[in-house]
Amino acid sequence: MQNKLLNLVTKSAKQSKAQVFSAVQPSRYLKNLSKQQVGQGKTVLITGASSGLGEGMARLFAKLGYNLAICARRTDRLERLQSELVATYPNIRVEYQALDVSDYEAVFKVFDAFAADFGTIDRIVVNAGIGDSRRIGKGRFDTNRRTVEINFISALAQCEAAMNIFRAQNSGHLVVMSSMSAMRGLPKHLTAYGASKAGLAHLAEGIRADMLLTKLPIKVSTIYPGYIRTEINTNAKPLPFEVDTETGTKAIVAAIEAEVEEACVPSLPWSIVGQAMKRLPLQVMSRLS
Protein backbone atom coordinates (compact mmCIF):
# COMPACT_ATOMS: atom_id res chain seq x y z
CA MET A 1 0.00 0.00 0.00
CA GLN A 2 2.81 2.41 0.87
CA ASN A 3 4.54 1.87 -2.50
CA LYS A 4 1.23 2.25 -4.32
CA LEU A 5 0.55 5.53 -2.53
CA LEU A 6 4.03 6.86 -3.28
CA ASN A 7 3.69 6.03 -6.98
CA LEU A 8 0.31 7.75 -7.19
CA VAL A 9 1.30 10.90 -5.37
CA THR A 10 4.62 11.24 -7.21
CA LYS A 11 2.86 10.99 -10.57
CA SER A 12 0.25 13.54 -9.50
CA ALA A 13 2.70 16.11 -8.17
CA LYS A 14 5.77 16.21 -10.41
CA GLN A 15 5.73 19.99 -10.45
CA SER A 16 6.37 20.10 -6.70
CA LYS A 17 9.60 18.05 -6.80
CA ALA A 18 11.87 21.04 -7.28
CA GLN A 19 10.41 22.63 -4.18
CA VAL A 20 10.83 19.43 -2.16
CA PHE A 21 14.42 18.71 -3.13
CA SER A 22 15.48 22.34 -2.69
CA ALA A 23 14.25 22.30 0.91
CA VAL A 24 16.88 22.62 3.63
CA GLN A 25 18.14 19.55 5.48
CA PRO A 26 16.65 20.12 8.94
CA SER A 27 19.53 18.61 10.99
CA ARG A 28 22.21 20.56 9.14
CA TYR A 29 20.15 23.76 9.14
CA LEU A 30 19.47 23.56 12.88
CA LYS A 31 23.12 22.72 13.65
CA ASN A 32 24.19 25.96 11.98
CA LEU A 33 21.50 27.93 13.82
CA SER A 34 22.59 26.38 17.11
CA LYS A 35 26.17 27.49 16.52
CA GLN A 36 24.87 31.01 15.90
CA GLN A 37 22.57 30.87 18.94
CA VAL A 38 19.91 32.61 16.87
CA GLY A 39 17.43 32.60 19.72
CA GLN A 40 19.62 34.48 22.18
CA GLY A 41 17.58 37.16 23.95
CA LYS A 42 14.32 36.01 22.32
CA THR A 43 11.34 34.19 23.84
CA VAL A 44 9.12 31.44 22.44
CA LEU A 45 5.78 30.56 24.03
CA ILE A 46 4.60 26.97 23.38
CA THR A 47 1.26 25.47 24.39
CA GLY A 48 0.90 21.73 24.97
CA ALA A 49 4.60 21.61 25.90
CA SER A 50 4.46 18.78 28.44
CA SER A 51 4.85 15.98 25.87
CA GLY A 52 5.06 15.04 22.21
CA LEU A 53 5.79 17.68 19.61
CA GLY A 54 5.44 20.52 22.11
CA GLU A 55 8.11 19.08 24.39
CA GLY A 56 10.30 18.28 21.39
CA MET A 57 10.04 21.83 20.09
CA ALA A 58 10.87 23.23 23.53
CA ARG A 59 14.08 21.17 23.63
CA LEU A 60 15.17 22.31 20.18
CA PHE A 61 14.35 25.98 20.74
CA ALA A 62 16.32 25.83 24.01
CA LYS A 63 19.29 24.44 22.08
CA LEU A 64 19.02 27.42 19.71
CA GLY A 65 19.30 29.79 22.68
CA TYR A 66 15.67 30.87 23.10
CA ASN A 67 14.06 31.66 26.41
CA LEU A 68 10.94 29.54 26.87
CA ALA A 69 7.43 30.19 28.15
CA ILE A 70 5.87 26.72 28.30
CA CYS A 71 2.37 25.74 29.35
CA ALA A 72 0.19 22.64 29.55
CA ARG A 73 -2.11 20.88 31.99
CA ARG A 74 0.55 18.59 33.51
CA THR A 75 2.72 20.95 35.54
CA ASP A 76 4.78 18.11 37.03
CA ARG A 77 6.12 17.35 33.57
CA LEU A 78 6.66 21.04 32.81
CA GLU A 79 8.64 21.40 36.04
CA ARG A 80 10.88 18.46 35.12
CA LEU A 81 11.38 19.87 31.63
CA GLN A 82 12.23 23.29 33.06
CA SER A 83 14.83 21.83 35.43
CA GLU A 84 16.42 19.74 32.69
CA LEU A 85 16.64 22.57 30.16
CA VAL A 86 18.01 25.14 32.59
CA ALA A 87 20.66 22.66 33.75
CA THR A 88 21.63 21.87 30.15
CA TYR A 89 21.45 25.45 28.86
CA PRO A 90 22.27 27.74 31.80
CA ASN A 91 22.15 30.89 29.66
CA ILE A 92 18.43 30.60 28.91
CA ARG A 93 15.36 31.28 31.00
CA VAL A 94 12.47 28.80 31.22
CA GLU A 95 9.17 29.59 32.92
CA TYR A 96 6.03 27.46 33.01
CA GLN A 97 2.37 27.84 33.87
CA ALA A 98 -0.57 25.46 34.07
CA LEU A 99 -2.99 25.87 31.18
CA ASP A 100 -6.02 23.94 30.01
CA VAL A 101 -6.69 25.51 26.61
CA SER A 102 -10.39 24.66 26.87
CA ASP A 103 -10.54 27.38 29.57
CA TYR A 104 -10.61 30.34 27.22
CA GLU A 105 -10.27 32.99 29.90
CA ALA A 106 -7.20 31.20 31.23
CA VAL A 107 -5.60 31.29 27.78
CA PHE A 108 -5.65 35.10 27.78
CA LYS A 109 -4.50 35.33 31.41
CA VAL A 110 -1.56 32.95 30.93
CA PHE A 111 -0.40 34.53 27.66
CA ASP A 112 -0.62 38.03 29.13
CA ALA A 113 1.21 36.91 32.29
CA PHE A 114 4.06 35.49 30.20
CA ALA A 115 4.21 38.72 28.15
CA ALA A 116 4.39 40.82 31.31
CA ASP A 117 7.03 38.53 32.83
CA PHE A 118 9.33 38.33 29.80
CA GLY A 119 8.62 41.82 28.47
CA THR A 120 8.46 40.62 24.87
CA ILE A 121 7.20 37.39 23.31
CA ASP A 122 8.86 36.89 19.94
CA ARG A 123 7.06 33.73 18.83
CA ILE A 124 3.94 31.85 19.94
CA VAL A 125 3.36 28.25 18.86
CA VAL A 126 -0.29 27.17 18.97
CA ASN A 127 0.40 23.50 19.47
CA ALA A 128 -2.06 22.09 22.05
CA GLY A 129 -4.61 19.78 20.46
CA ILE A 130 -6.18 16.31 20.47
CA GLY A 131 -6.77 13.65 17.84
CA ASP A 132 -9.61 11.58 19.28
CA SER A 133 -12.37 11.77 16.66
CA ARG A 134 -14.78 9.12 15.36
CA ARG A 135 -16.94 8.38 12.33
CA ILE A 136 -19.81 10.81 11.87
CA GLY A 137 -23.25 9.39 12.67
CA LYS A 138 -21.99 6.61 14.93
CA GLY A 139 -23.18 8.09 18.19
CA ARG A 140 -19.90 9.75 19.13
CA PHE A 141 -20.92 13.40 18.86
CA ASP A 142 -19.43 14.28 22.26
CA THR A 143 -16.03 12.95 21.20
CA ASN A 144 -16.12 14.78 17.88
CA ARG A 145 -17.37 17.99 19.47
CA ARG A 146 -14.52 18.01 21.98
CA THR A 147 -11.97 17.43 19.22
CA VAL A 148 -13.31 20.34 17.18
CA GLU A 149 -13.57 22.59 20.24
CA ILE A 150 -9.99 21.94 21.35
CA ASN A 151 -8.41 21.97 17.89
CA PHE A 152 -10.30 24.99 16.56
CA ILE A 153 -12.12 27.06 19.19
CA SER A 154 -9.31 26.73 21.74
CA ALA A 155 -6.81 27.46 18.98
CA LEU A 156 -8.84 30.53 18.06
CA ALA A 157 -8.54 31.73 21.68
CA GLN A 158 -4.78 31.17 21.52
CA CYS A 159 -4.51 33.08 18.23
CA GLU A 160 -6.58 35.95 19.64
CA ALA A 161 -4.40 36.13 22.76
CA ALA A 162 -1.21 35.89 20.70
CA MET A 163 -2.25 38.56 18.23
CA ASN A 164 -3.26 40.90 21.07
CA ILE A 165 0.33 40.68 22.30
CA PHE A 166 1.89 40.99 18.85
CA ARG A 167 -0.25 43.96 17.84
CA ALA A 168 0.74 45.77 21.06
CA GLN A 169 4.42 44.98 20.36
CA ASN A 170 4.11 45.66 16.62
CA SER A 171 6.13 42.49 16.09
CA GLY A 172 5.95 38.73 16.50
CA HIS A 173 5.66 35.34 14.82
CA LEU A 174 2.47 33.29 15.15
CA VAL A 175 2.83 29.57 14.39
CA VAL A 176 -0.13 27.19 14.21
CA MET A 177 0.16 23.41 14.09
CA SER A 178 -2.34 22.07 11.57
CA SER A 179 -2.10 18.59 9.98
CA MET A 180 -1.77 16.89 6.61
CA SER A 181 -5.34 15.70 7.22
CA ALA A 182 -6.44 19.31 6.66
CA MET A 183 -5.70 19.05 2.94
CA ARG A 184 -8.95 17.23 2.07
CA GLY A 185 -12.12 15.93 3.65
CA LEU A 186 -11.24 12.43 4.88
CA PRO A 187 -13.36 9.42 5.93
CA LYS A 188 -13.60 7.31 9.08
CA HIS A 189 -12.02 8.67 12.28
CA LEU A 190 -10.28 11.51 10.40
CA THR A 191 -13.42 13.42 9.36
CA ALA A 192 -13.93 15.69 12.36
CA TYR A 193 -10.23 15.87 13.19
CA GLY A 194 -9.29 16.88 9.64
CA ALA A 195 -12.08 19.45 9.53
CA SER A 196 -10.85 21.04 12.77
CA LYS A 197 -7.30 21.28 11.46
CA ALA A 198 -8.53 22.66 8.12
CA GLY A 199 -10.43 25.34 10.02
CA LEU A 200 -7.26 26.23 11.92
CA ALA A 201 -5.26 26.45 8.69
CA HIS A 202 -7.83 28.83 7.17
CA LEU A 203 -7.85 30.89 10.36
CA ALA A 204 -4.08 31.30 10.13
CA GLU A 205 -4.26 32.21 6.45
CA GLY A 206 -6.90 34.83 7.24
CA ILE A 207 -4.69 36.36 9.93
CA ARG A 208 -1.78 36.34 7.46
CA ALA A 209 -3.95 38.07 4.89
CA ASP A 210 -4.91 40.69 7.46
CA MET A 211 -1.24 41.35 8.22
CA LEU A 212 -0.59 41.89 4.51
CA LEU A 213 -3.60 44.18 4.23
CA THR A 214 -2.65 46.28 7.23
CA LYS A 215 1.11 46.06 6.55
CA LEU A 216 1.86 45.00 10.12
CA PRO A 217 5.28 43.31 10.65
CA ILE A 218 3.82 40.15 12.17
CA LYS A 219 4.62 36.80 10.54
CA VAL A 220 2.21 33.85 10.44
CA SER A 221 3.27 30.25 9.72
CA THR A 222 1.07 27.19 9.23
CA ILE A 223 2.75 23.81 9.74
CA TYR A 224 1.22 20.62 8.34
CA PRO A 225 2.88 17.62 10.04
CA GLY A 226 2.63 14.20 8.45
CA TYR A 227 2.68 10.99 10.47
CA ILE A 228 4.99 11.55 13.45
CA ARG A 229 5.24 8.88 16.13
CA THR A 230 4.87 10.52 19.55
CA GLU A 231 3.92 9.46 23.05
CA ILE A 232 0.23 10.00 22.32
CA ASN A 233 0.17 7.45 19.48
CA THR A 234 2.80 4.97 20.69
CA ASN A 235 0.44 2.01 20.40
CA ALA A 236 -1.07 2.94 17.04
CA LYS A 237 -0.40 0.71 14.04
CA PRO A 238 2.49 1.71 11.72
CA LEU A 239 1.50 4.36 9.19
CA PRO A 240 2.88 5.23 5.73
CA PHE A 241 5.96 7.49 5.78
CA GLU A 242 5.89 7.89 9.56
CA VAL A 243 8.96 9.24 11.36
CA ASP A 244 10.01 9.35 15.01
CA THR A 245 9.48 12.35 17.26
CA GLU A 246 13.04 13.64 16.93
CA THR A 247 13.01 13.57 13.12
CA GLY A 248 9.58 15.15 12.93
CA THR A 249 10.34 17.84 15.47
CA LYS A 250 13.55 18.85 13.71
CA ALA A 251 11.62 19.28 10.47
CA ILE A 252 9.00 21.38 12.24
CA VAL A 253 11.46 23.67 14.01
CA ALA A 254 13.52 24.10 10.83
CA ALA A 255 10.39 25.23 8.96
CA ILE A 256 9.45 27.59 11.80
CA GLU A 257 12.94 29.09 11.92
CA ALA A 258 12.78 29.64 8.16
CA GLU A 259 9.59 31.64 8.85
CA VAL A 260 7.75 29.92 6.02
CA GLU A 261 4.13 30.82 5.40
CA GLU A 262 3.18 27.14 5.02
CA ALA A 263 5.11 23.89 5.20
CA CYS A 264 4.34 20.18 5.00
CA VAL A 265 6.78 18.33 7.25
CA PRO A 266 8.92 16.38 6.86
CA SER A 267 9.16 18.00 3.42
CA LEU A 268 9.84 14.71 1.66
CA PRO A 269 7.46 13.03 0.99
CA TRP A 270 4.73 15.22 2.50
CA SER A 271 5.08 18.18 0.12
CA ILE A 272 4.45 15.76 -2.74
CA VAL A 273 1.67 13.99 -0.85
CA GLY A 274 0.01 17.33 -0.07
CA GLN A 275 -0.09 18.33 -3.72
CA ALA A 276 -1.50 14.94 -4.65
CA MET A 277 -4.15 15.07 -1.94
CA LYS A 278 -5.52 18.27 -3.44
CA ARG A 279 -5.71 16.78 -6.92
CA LEU A 280 -6.64 13.11 -6.61
CA PRO A 281 -10.33 12.21 -7.06
CA LEU A 282 -12.17 11.88 -3.76
CA GLN A 283 -12.89 8.20 -4.47
CA VAL A 284 -9.13 7.52 -4.71
CA MET A 285 -8.38 9.64 -1.63
CA SER A 286 -10.98 7.76 0.39
CA ARG A 287 -9.38 4.42 -0.39
CA LEU A 288 -5.83 5.58 0.29
CA SER A 289 -6.63 7.32 3.57
Side-chain angles (χ1 to χ4, degrees):
M1 176 62 77
Q2 182 167 330
N3 289 335
K4 180 180 179 182
L5 176 59
L6 183 59
N7 289 336
L8 279 169
V9 299
T10 302
K11 181 178 180 181
S12 302
K14 287 182 179 179
Q15 68 274 21
S16 67
K17 282 187 177 180
Q19 177 184 350
V20 172
F21 292 116
S22 67
V24 296
Q25 293 294 323
S27 294
R28 185 186 308 168
Y29 181 59
L30 293 178
K31 185 177 181 180
N32 290 335
L33 294 182
S34 180
K35 289 179 180 178
Q36 300 169 34
Q37 286 292 280
V38 295
Q40 189 171 18
K42 299 177 182 178
T43 301
V44 177
L45 190 163
I46 306 171
T47 64
S50 62
S51 64
L53 298 180
E55 180 184 353
M57 283 187 280
R59 294 181 185 280
L60 286 176
F61 282 127
K63 190 174 182 178
L64 298 180
Y66 285 95
N67 297 318
L68 294 173
I70 53 177
C71 48
R73 291 177 298 171
R74 295 176 290 184
T75 55
D76 57 328
R77 300 189 66 154
L78 293 176
E79 184 177 7
R80 286 198 298 270
L81 181 60
Q82 178 196 45
S83 298
E84 178 187 335
L85 293 179
V86 170
T88 306
Y89 310 105
N91 293 325
I92 72 168
R93 180 183 174 194
V94 181
E95 302 294 343
Y96 71 88
Q97 290 204 38
L99 178 61
D100 181 343
V101 294
S102 66
D103 183 344
Y104 308 137
E105 291 185 5
V107 170
F108 288 87
K109 289 179 180 178
V110 168
F111 278 36
D112 287 344
F114 276 137
D117 191 14
F118 283 93
T120 300
I121 304 293
D122 299 278
R123 176 178 292 145
I124 295 177
V125 184
V126 178
N127 170 69
I130 58 176
D132 187 21
S133 64
R134 295 292 185 270
R135 270 181 158 151
I136 303 297
K138 290 288 187 176
R140 300 299 297 274
F141 170 70
D142 288 345
T143 299
N144 289 328
R145 181 187 65 185
R146 176 164 174 75
T147 295
V148 172
E149 287 175 347
I150 296 296
N151 290 350
F152 183 70
I153 304 299
S154 295
L156 170 61
Q158 294 169 70
C159 289
E160 287 272 10
M163 291 303 296
N164 284 347
I165 293 169
F166 292 157
R167 286 178 183 274
Q169 296 177 170
N170 198 40
S171 66
H173 183 194
L174 175 66
V175 180
V176 305
M177 299 299 296
S178 182
S179 166
M180 287 301 301
S181 64
M183 297 293 175
R184 289 288 291 275
L186 297 176
K188 303 178 182 178
H189 65 284
L190 289 173
T191 303
Y193 174 78
S196 70
K197 290 296 188 176
L200 176 56
H202 279 276
L203 175 65
E205 186 173 42
I207 298 170
R208 189 182 306 119
D210 197 37
M211 295 304 96
L212 293 172
L213 184 66
T214 56
K215 294 181 170 44
L216 290 178
I218 299 169
K219 300 178 178 66
V220 182
S221 297
T222 308
I223 308 299
Y224 300 90
Y227 295 133
I228 300 175
R229 183 69 59 169
T230 64
E231 178 183 326
I232 197 171
N233 56 23
T234 299
N235 297 320
K237 65 180 181 180
L239 296 166
F241 315 126
E242 74 172 34
V243 297
D244 58 32
T245 304
E246 182 181 0
T247 301
T249 306
K250 283 182 178 180
I252 290 169
V253 172
I256 292 172
E257 279 298 316
E259 297 183 339
V260 296
E261 291 186 354
E262 295 184 321
C264 301
V265 295
S267 181
L268 185 65
W270 292 106
S271 291
I272 294 175
V273 173
Q275 292 297 320
M277 288 178 72
K278 296 175 182 178
R279 291 169 170 78
L280 289 172
L282 188 58
Q283 185 176 8
V284 175
M285 277 301 308
S286 297
R287 291 202 305 270
L288 294 177
S289 63

